[in-house]
Amino acid sequence: MWYLIPIFFLGVLTPIQTAANSRLRQSVVSPFIASLVSFSVGTIFLLIVTLCEKGGILIDRELFSSLPWWAWLGGVCGLWGLTVNIIIFPKLGAMQTALMPMLGQIVMGIIIDSFGLLHSPNFPFTFLRFISVLIILMGMFMVIYRKTSGQKGESKLLWQAIGFSGGAIFAMQPSMNSLLSIGLYSSVHAAFISFFTATVVLILIAVVVPSNRVHIPQIFSLDRPWWSWLGGIIGGTFVTGFAFFASKTGIGILLVTSICGLLANSLAIDKFGWFGTVKKRIRPVQYLGLICVVVGIMILRLN
């Protein structure tokens, strides 16, 4: 039960990471270059921590044959989850961009737990767990929902499905990194490999796509606050924590508890206008929704 506290605070870090990466994107224009900077900083940070912990980053050759091939793909899953938000935001708006990936995370997390997929602990999907998931989803919707003008247009089902897939694929990352951390005897080393893989993919994208290359010199612009560089470090801490806790709590609890921290800090940032954001009035129903999420987590954890 005590694991829920640090997992909650990992979720609290997520909106701070988003704010840092968003400010970084304002300077470098390209979302892919912003992601490249964030992942590169995270990779360097995790490299230093891994060297301090283990004295090296070399991998035993036998580990490649002993682990399943998918255990090395955590970085790709994390990168896809990040990229999906960039893709769907112009099509769905802020509310659905937040909601659809979260829904994908929770559904995939429950599936992984229920069937013990990806070498994760097995937690049978009981009726009580079903009720707890409904309470959590209702609470999430209450926190995120904002009334919009109901304009009709093209179907958004495709973009909603892409958003859902981003969350679902991201939900696989903790299991992959957890298995990798067991083989490496280090959650930090596993997170480093995850970040390094994503960084290599982003470098290839930056090199291949001409529209991204022109923004590379803007990386070193001094016209931005110091905290805009923290996104990668926060992301590295987040992935390391997930790799550590995944085998101890189950993926469903891990994801839902971190989402609770994310929602709580998002409300605080909106209310007080932190990190240069515009202050927004927090409605009572949003506080009630956060309480519903907490209650749902307690029921899910105690089941």
Side-chain angles (χ1 to χ4, degrees), residues 52-68:
C52 292
E53 181 191 45
K54 300 183 65 177
I57 58 172
L58 296 180
I59 301 172
D60 191 335
R61 189 180 305 174
E62 295 181 358
L63 191 62
F64 289 100
S65 58
S66 63
L67 289 179

Side-chain angles (χ1 to χ4, degrees), residues 103-123:
L103 181 61
Q105 286 183 50
I106 291 177
V107 171
M108 179 56 72
I110 294 299
I111 291 174
I112 291 173
D113 281 351
S114 299
F115 296 98
L117 302 179
L118 303 175
H119 294 197
S120 297
N122 178 249
F123 297 93

